[in-house]
PDB file of all heavy atoms in Angstrom:
ATOM      1  N   GLY A  61      -7.506 -18.942   3.554  1.00 97.00           N
ATOM      2  CA  GLY A  61      -8.864 -19.269   3.147  1.00 97.00           C
ATOM      3  C   GLY A  61      -9.911 -18.234   3.501  1.00 97.00           C
ATOM      4  O   GLY A  61     -11.099 -18.472   3.296  1.00 97.00           O
ATOM      5  N   TYR A  62      -9.515 -17.079   4.007  1.00 98.00           N
ATOM      6  CA  TYR A  62     -10.469 -16.036   4.360  1.00 98.00           C
ATOM      7  C   TYR A  62     -11.223 -15.546   3.129  1.00 98.00           C
ATOM      8  O   TYR A  62     -10.655 -15.403   2.053  1.00 98.00           O
ATOM      9  CB  TYR A  62      -9.749 -14.850   5.009  1.00 98.00           C
ATOM     10  CG  TYR A  62     -10.666 -13.676   5.296  1.00 98.00           C
ATOM     11  CD1 TYR A  62     -11.392 -13.623   6.473  1.00 98.00           C
ATOM     12  CD2 TYR A  62     -10.825 -12.650   4.381  1.00 98.00           C
ATOM     13  CE1 TYR A  62     -12.260 -12.564   6.727  1.00 98.00           C
ATOM     14  CE2 TYR A  62     -11.680 -11.583   4.625  1.00 98.00           C
ATOM     15  CZ  TYR A  62     -12.394 -11.552   5.801  1.00 98.00           C
ATOM     16  OH  TYR A  62     -13.248 -10.512   6.046  1.00 98.00           O
ATOM     17  N   ALA A  63     -12.517 -15.288   3.320  1.00 98.00           N
ATOM     18  CA  ALA A  63     -13.351 -14.687   2.271  1.00 98.00           C
ATOM     19  C   ALA A  63     -14.157 -13.553   2.898  1.00 98.00           C
ATOM     20  O   ALA A  63     -14.635 -13.667   4.030  1.00 98.00           O
ATOM     21  CB  ALA A  63     -14.289 -15.727   1.669  1.00 98.00           C
ATOM     22  N   SER A  64     -14.309 -12.487   2.162  1.00 97.00           N
ATOM     23  CA  SER A  64     -15.095 -11.335   2.634  1.00 97.00           C
ATOM     24  C   SER A  64     -16.576 -11.716   2.660  1.00 97.00           C
ATOM     25  O   SER A  64     -16.992 -12.692   2.018  1.00 97.00           O
ATOM     26  CB  SER A  64     -14.880 -10.144   1.706  1.00 97.00           C
ATOM     27  OG  SER A  64     -15.485 -10.408   0.452  1.00 97.00           O
ATOM     28  N   PRO A  65     -17.393 -10.940   3.373  1.00 96.00           N
ATOM     29  CA  PRO A  65     -18.834 -11.227   3.373  1.00 96.00           C
ATOM     30  C   PRO A  65     -19.437 -11.307   1.967  1.00 96.00           C
ATOM     31  O   PRO A  65     -20.250 -12.191   1.694  1.00 96.00           O
ATOM     32  CB  PRO A  65     -19.425 -10.069   4.178  1.00 96.00           C
ATOM     33  CG  PRO A  65     -18.323  -9.701   5.139  1.00 96.00           C
ATOM     34  CD  PRO A  65     -17.055  -9.870   4.317  1.00 96.00           C
ATOM     35  N   SER A  66     -19.021 -10.427   1.065  1.00 97.00           N
ATOM     36  CA  SER A  66     -19.580 -10.485  -0.293  1.00 97.00           C
ATOM     37  C   SER A  66     -19.096 -11.737  -1.030  1.00 97.00           C
ATOM     38  O   SER A  66     -19.849 -12.332  -1.810  1.00 97.00           O
ATOM     39  CB  SER A  66     -19.236  -9.222  -1.084  1.00 97.00           C
ATOM     40  OG  SER A  66     -17.845  -9.092  -1.257  1.00 97.00           O
ATOM     41  N   GLU A  67     -17.864 -12.163  -0.784  1.00 97.00           N
ATOM     42  CA  GLU A  67     -17.358 -13.397  -1.399  1.00 97.00           C
ATOM     43  C   GLU A  67     -18.079 -14.623  -0.835  1.00 97.00           C
ATOM     44  O   GLU A  67     -18.381 -15.567  -1.577  1.00 97.00           O
ATOM     45  CB  GLU A  67     -15.856 -13.522  -1.182  1.00 97.00           C
ATOM     46  CG  GLU A  67     -15.054 -12.500  -1.958  1.00 97.00           C
ATOM     47  CD  GLU A  67     -13.600 -12.424  -1.535  1.00 97.00           C
ATOM     48  OE1 GLU A  67     -13.284 -12.654  -0.347  1.00 97.00           O
ATOM     49  OE2 GLU A  67     -12.762 -12.120  -2.411  1.00 97.00           O
ATOM     50  N   LEU A  68     -18.387 -14.593   0.459  1.00 96.00           N
ATOM     51  CA  LEU A  68     -19.145 -15.698   1.058  1.00 96.00           C
ATOM     52  C   LEU A  68     -20.544 -15.780   0.458  1.00 96.00           C
ATOM     53  O   LEU A  68     -21.041 -16.870   0.166  1.00 96.00           O
ATOM     54  CB  LEU A  68     -19.239 -15.516   2.576  1.00 96.00           C
ATOM     55  CG  LEU A  68     -17.957 -15.732   3.361  1.00 96.00           C
ATOM     56  CD1 LEU A  68     -18.150 -15.321   4.813  1.00 96.00           C
ATOM     57  CD2 LEU A  68     -17.487 -17.168   3.256  1.00 96.00           C
ATOM     58  N   GLU A  69     -21.160 -14.627   0.256  1.00 95.00           N
ATOM     59  CA  GLU A  69     -22.488 -14.589  -0.347  1.00 95.00           C
ATOM     60  C   GLU A  69     -22.446 -15.151  -1.772  1.00 95.00           C
ATOM     61  O   GLU A  69     -23.310 -15.945  -2.165  1.00 95.00           O
ATOM     62  CB  GLU A  69     -23.006 -13.152  -0.359  1.00 95.00           C
ATOM     63  CG  GLU A  69     -24.424 -13.028  -0.837  1.00 95.00           C
ATOM     64  CD  GLU A  69     -24.944 -11.602  -0.761  1.00 95.00           C
ATOM     65  OE1 GLU A  69     -24.563 -10.873   0.180  1.00 95.00           O
ATOM     66  OE2 GLU A  69     -25.714 -11.226  -1.656  1.00 95.00           O
ATOM     67  N   GLN A  70     -21.435 -14.761  -2.530  1.00 96.00           N
ATOM     68  CA  GLN A  70     -21.284 -15.270  -3.893  1.00 96.00           C
ATOM     69  C   GLN A  70     -21.070 -16.780  -3.880  1.00 96.00           C
ATOM     70  O   GLN A  70     -21.636 -17.501  -4.707  1.00 96.00           O
ATOM     71  CB  GLN A  70     -20.125 -14.575  -4.599  1.00 96.00           C
ATOM     72  CG  GLN A  70     -19.913 -15.051  -6.014  1.00 96.00           C
ATOM     73  CD  GLN A  70     -18.725 -14.375  -6.692  1.00 96.00           C
ATOM     74  OE1 GLN A  70     -18.096 -13.478  -6.141  1.00 96.00           O
ATOM     75  NE2 GLN A  70     -18.414 -14.819  -7.882  1.00 96.00           N
ATOM     76  N   MET A  71     -20.278 -17.275  -2.940  1.00 94.00           N
ATOM     77  CA  MET A  71     -20.028 -18.713  -2.837  1.00 94.00           C
ATOM     78  C   MET A  71     -21.333 -19.461  -2.567  1.00 94.00           C
ATOM     79  O   MET A  71     -21.600 -20.494  -3.182  1.00 94.00           O
ATOM     80  CB  MET A  71     -19.015 -18.984  -1.724  1.00 94.00           C
ATOM     81  CG  MET A  71     -18.623 -20.442  -1.591  1.00 94.00           C
ATOM     82  SD  MET A  71     -17.260 -20.730  -0.423  1.00 94.00           S
ATOM     83  CE  MET A  71     -17.972 -20.185   1.113  1.00 94.00           C
ATOM     84  N   GLN A  72     -22.180 -18.924  -1.678  1.00 92.00           N
ATOM     85  CA  GLN A  72     -23.456 -19.567  -1.383  1.00 92.00           C
ATOM     86  C   GLN A  72     -24.380 -19.561  -2.596  1.00 92.00           C
ATOM     87  O   GLN A  72     -25.084 -20.541  -2.850  1.00 92.00           O
ATOM     88  CB  GLN A  72     -24.127 -18.899  -0.176  1.00 92.00           C
ATOM     89  CG  GLN A  72     -23.438 -19.185   1.141  1.00 92.00           C
ATOM     90  CD  GLN A  72     -23.369 -20.669   1.447  1.00 92.00           C
ATOM     91  OE1 GLN A  72     -24.347 -21.388   1.325  1.00 92.00           O
ATOM     92  NE2 GLN A  72     -22.190 -21.127   1.837  1.00 92.00           N
ATOM     93  N   GLU A  73     -24.370 -18.470  -3.347  1.00 93.00           N
ATOM     94  CA  GLU A  73     -25.189 -18.400  -4.563  1.00 93.00           C
ATOM     95  C   GLU A  73     -24.733 -19.446  -5.576  1.00 93.00           C
ATOM     96  O   GLU A  73     -25.558 -20.104  -6.214  1.00 93.00           O
ATOM     97  CB  GLU A  73     -25.114 -17.004  -5.172  1.00 93.00           C
ATOM     98  CG  GLU A  73     -25.849 -15.949  -4.368  1.00 93.00           C
ATOM     99  CD  GLU A  73     -25.611 -14.532  -4.867  1.00 93.00           C
ATOM    100  OE1 GLU A  73     -24.931 -14.343  -5.914  1.00 93.00           O
ATOM    101  OE2 GLU A  73     -26.097 -13.595  -4.208  1.00 93.00           O
ATOM    102  N   GLU A  74     -23.422 -19.594  -5.738  1.00 93.00           N
ATOM    103  CA  GLU A  74     -22.889 -20.587  -6.675  1.00 93.00           C
ATOM    104  C   GLU A  74     -23.240 -22.001  -6.228  1.00 93.00           C
ATOM    105  O   GLU A  74     -23.584 -22.849  -7.061  1.00 93.00           O
ATOM    106  CB  GLU A  74     -21.375 -20.422  -6.817  1.00 93.00           C
ATOM    107  CG  GLU A  74     -20.985 -19.163  -7.557  1.00 93.00           C
ATOM    108  CD  GLU A  74     -19.486 -18.875  -7.520  1.00 93.00           C
ATOM    109  OE1 GLU A  74     -18.710 -19.679  -6.958  1.00 93.00           O
ATOM    110  OE2 GLU A  74     -19.086 -17.817  -8.054  1.00 93.00           O
ATOM    111  N   LEU A  75     -23.163 -22.272  -4.923  1.00 90.00           N
ATOM    112  CA  LEU A  75     -23.542 -23.594  -4.416  1.00 90.00           C
ATOM    113  C   LEU A  75     -25.004 -23.885  -4.718  1.00 90.00           C
ATOM    114  O   LEU A  75     -25.344 -24.984  -5.155  1.00 90.00           O
ATOM    115  CB  LEU A  75     -23.293 -23.683  -2.906  1.00 90.00           C
ATOM    116  CG  LEU A  75     -21.845 -23.767  -2.466  1.00 90.00           C
ATOM    117  CD1 LEU A  75     -21.742 -23.637  -0.949  1.00 90.00           C
ATOM    118  CD2 LEU A  75     -21.211 -25.060  -2.936  1.00 90.00           C
ATOM    119  N   ALA A  76     -25.864 -22.890  -4.499  1.00 88.00           N
ATOM    120  CA  ALA A  76     -27.293 -23.073  -4.766  1.00 88.00           C
ATOM    121  C   ALA A  76     -27.543 -23.334  -6.249  1.00 88.00           C
ATOM    122  O   ALA A  76     -28.352 -24.205  -6.608  1.00 88.00           O
ATOM    123  CB  ALA A  76     -28.072 -21.848  -4.292  1.00 88.00           C
ATOM    124  N   GLU A  77     -26.837 -22.602  -7.118  1.00 91.00           N
ATOM    125  CA  GLU A  77     -27.000 -22.806  -8.564  1.00 91.00           C
ATOM    126  C   GLU A  77     -26.572 -24.200  -8.984  1.00 91.00           C
ATOM    127  O   GLU A  77     -27.144 -24.780  -9.905  1.00 91.00           O
ATOM    128  CB  GLU A  77     -26.190 -21.757  -9.333  1.00 91.00           C
ATOM    129  CG  GLU A  77     -26.773 -20.368  -9.278  1.00 91.00           C
ATOM    130  CD  GLU A  77     -25.853 -19.316  -9.887  1.00 91.00           C
ATOM    131  OE1 GLU A  77     -24.814 -19.682 -10.485  1.00 91.00           O
ATOM    132  OE2 GLU A  77     -26.174 -18.121  -9.745  1.00 91.00           O
ATOM    133  N   GLU A  78     -25.563 -24.742  -8.307  1.00 90.00           N
ATOM    134  CA  GLU A  78     -25.070 -26.089  -8.610  1.00 90.00           C
ATOM    135  C   GLU A  78     -25.949 -27.185  -8.016  1.00 90.00           C
ATOM    136  O   GLU A  78     -25.748 -28.359  -8.283  1.00 90.00           O
ATOM    137  CB  GLU A  78     -23.654 -26.273  -8.060  1.00 90.00           C
ATOM    138  CG  GLU A  78     -22.617 -25.391  -8.698  1.00 90.00           C
ATOM    139  CD  GLU A  78     -21.290 -25.412  -7.943  1.00 90.00           C
ATOM    140  OE1 GLU A  78     -21.174 -26.121  -6.916  1.00 90.00           O
ATOM    141  OE2 GLU A  78     -20.371 -24.708  -8.374  1.00 90.00           O
ATOM    142  N   GLY A  79     -26.899 -26.791  -7.153  1.00 87.00           N
ATOM    143  CA  GLY A  79     -27.761 -27.764  -6.494  1.00 87.00           C
ATOM    144  C   GLY A  79     -27.178 -28.282  -5.195  1.00 87.00           C
ATOM    145  O   GLY A  79     -27.695 -29.238  -4.619  1.00 87.00           O
ATOM    146  N   SER A  80     -26.106 -27.674  -4.732  1.00 89.00           N
ATOM    147  CA  SER A  80     -25.487 -28.083  -3.477  1.00 89.00           C
ATOM    148  C   SER A  80     -26.151 -27.371  -2.305  1.00 89.00           C
ATOM    149  O   SER A  80     -26.743 -26.305  -2.461  1.00 89.00           O
ATOM    150  CB  SER A  80     -23.994 -27.741  -3.474  1.00 89.00           C
ATOM    151  OG  SER A  80     -23.321 -28.433  -4.506  1.00 89.00           O
ATOM    152  N   CYS A  81     -25.996 -27.955  -1.126  1.00 88.00           N
ATOM    153  CA  CYS A  81     -26.497 -27.297   0.079  1.00 88.00           C
ATOM    154  C   CYS A  81     -25.464 -26.265   0.538  1.00 88.00           C
ATOM    155  O   CYS A  81     -24.384 -26.144  -0.038  1.00 88.00           O
ATOM    156  CB  CYS A  81     -26.750 -28.321   1.185  1.00 88.00           C
ATOM    157  SG  CYS A  81     -25.252 -29.040   1.904  1.00 88.00           S
ATOM    158  N   ALA A  82     -25.786 -25.547   1.589  1.00 85.00           N
ATOM    159  CA  ALA A  82     -24.899 -24.498   2.103  1.00 85.00           C
ATOM    160  C   ALA A  82     -23.576 -25.057   2.625  1.00 85.00           C
ATOM    161  O   ALA A  82     -22.616 -24.317   2.793  1.00 85.00           O
ATOM    162  CB  ALA A  82     -25.599 -23.724   3.206  1.00 85.00           C
ATOM    163  N   HIS A  83     -23.532 -26.360   2.865  1.00 86.00           N
ATOM    164  CA  HIS A  83     -22.304 -26.985   3.374  1.00 86.00           C
ATOM    165  C   HIS A  83     -21.389 -27.461   2.246  1.00 86.00           C
ATOM    166  O   HIS A  83     -20.305 -27.970   2.493  1.00 86.00           O
ATOM    167  CB  HIS A  83     -22.659 -28.167   4.276  1.00 86.00           C
ATOM    168  CG  HIS A  83     -23.550 -27.771   5.407  1.00 86.00           C
ATOM    169  ND1 HIS A  83     -24.882 -28.131   5.458  1.00 86.00           N
ATOM    170  CD2 HIS A  83     -23.313 -27.011   6.495  1.00 86.00           C
ATOM    171  CE1 HIS A  83     -25.414 -27.617   6.554  1.00 86.00           C
ATOM    172  NE2 HIS A  83     -24.492 -26.924   7.192  1.00 86.00           N
ATOM    173  N   GLY A  84     -21.849 -27.340   0.991  1.00 88.00           N
ATOM    174  CA  GLY A  84     -21.032 -27.705  -0.153  1.00 88.00           C
ATOM    175  C   GLY A  84     -21.232 -29.122  -0.651  1.00 88.00           C
ATOM    176  O   GLY A  84     -20.480 -29.602  -1.487  1.00 88.00           O
ATOM    177  N   PHE A  85     -22.254 -29.810  -0.163  1.00 88.00           N
ATOM    178  CA  PHE A  85     -22.520 -31.195  -0.553  1.00 88.00           C
ATOM    179  C   PHE A  85     -23.817 -31.282  -1.355  1.00 88.00           C
ATOM    180  O   PHE A  85     -24.680 -30.408  -1.256  1.00 88.00           O
ATOM    181  CB  PHE A  85     -22.705 -32.077   0.697  1.00 88.00           C
ATOM    182  CG  PHE A  85     -21.497 -32.171   1.575  1.00 88.00           C
ATOM    183  CD1 PHE A  85     -21.413 -31.410   2.735  1.00 88.00           C
ATOM    184  CD2 PHE A  85     -20.448 -33.007   1.263  1.00 88.00           C
ATOM    185  CE1 PHE A  85     -20.309 -31.492   3.561  1.00 88.00           C
ATOM    186  CE2 PHE A  85     -19.336 -33.097   2.087  1.00 88.00           C
ATOM    187  CZ  PHE A  85     -19.265 -32.336   3.234  1.00 88.00           C
ATOM    188  N   HIS A  86     -23.973 -32.375  -2.083  1.00 87.00           N
ATOM    189  CA  HIS A  86     -25.290 -32.679  -2.634  1.00 87.00           C
ATOM    190  C   HIS A  86     -26.177 -32.885  -1.416  1.00 87.00           C
ATOM    191  O   HIS A  86     -25.785 -33.585  -0.475  1.00 87.00           O
ATOM    192  CB  HIS A  86     -25.241 -33.950  -3.488  1.00 87.00           C
ATOM    193  CG  HIS A  86     -26.543 -34.272  -4.129  1.00 87.00           C
ATOM    194  ND1 HIS A  86     -27.599 -34.806  -3.413  1.00 87.00           N
ATOM    195  CD2 HIS A  86     -26.981 -34.118  -5.394  1.00 87.00           C
ATOM    196  CE1 HIS A  86     -28.625 -34.976  -4.211  1.00 87.00           C
ATOM    197  NE2 HIS A  86     -28.276 -34.562  -5.430  1.00 87.00           N
TER     198      HIS A  86
END
Side-chain angles (χ1 to χ4, degrees):
Y62 175 86
S64 69
S66 63
E67 291 168 328
L68 289 172
E69 186 177 325
Q70 180 182 355
M71 183 172 63
Q72 289 301 313
E73 289 172 5
E74 290 171 3
L75 288 171
E77 288 172 8
E78 295 169 0
S80 298
C81 71
H83 303 108
F85 297 101
H86 183 285

